[in-house]
Amino acid sequence: MVKEMQPHYFLAVPVPQLIQSALHQEARQSGQLQFQRWVHPNDIHLTLVFLGGCTEKQLHELVQHGRSLVENWAPFSLTLSQSGSFGQKKQPRIFWVGVKASQQLAVYQSQLADLCRSLGFAVDQRPYAPHLTLARKWAGDEEYNGDGLALRNGQSWEVNEIILYESHVQQEPKYKTYQAFSLKGVQHESD
């Protein structure tokens, strides 16, 4: 009997399904990318804060305070940029596509991280590096050379919600919406 792992949680920007599917398909068909594991298209997202395991109390407080925080945020746009990798340059462990710098994304991510810290979560202290993970663990015979690929480079989408996801590593897709928070703030002309 396989023991079910406790779910982990994270806050993320969802990616529209058309973009998820297109990124997945283009990356797999590029011919340059030989990875052992590909992220299920429905699991492609932009992580804001990884939380790990949570108690019911933490989840309840996060939902309550997270909703209050996010409802004041104005919707904003994100634009895909070039690809990159994490890990050894010749045999990376992660292949990702980035997003162009966004002041609103940086501010909102920082506010969410601060909220999570105040609720007792151990938030990653490294500088935030926004990216959409597409694949894991290089498996090619040749050295990796996929950084800078223009997969959907320049494609944008409007961010209208933040999702608190629950992860189930033994299922596919792995990520299920635990709670969605709508951005209801008013955009200003200068935004």
Side-chain angles (χ1 to χ4, degrees), residues 98-113:
V99 294
K100 292 185 179 176
S102 163
Q103 182 65 29
Q104 281 184 297
L105 176 63
V107 168
Y108 293 167
Q109 187 279 333
S110 178
Q111 289 177 1
L112 267 180

Side-chain angles (χ1 to χ4, degrees), residues 12-14 48 70 75-76 158-163 165 180-183:
V13 171
L48 297 169
V70 173
F76 64 103
E158 186 81 4
V159 177
N160 296 307
E161 65 181 355
I162 303 299
I163 305 287
Y165 284 105
F181 306 109
S182 296
L183 281 69

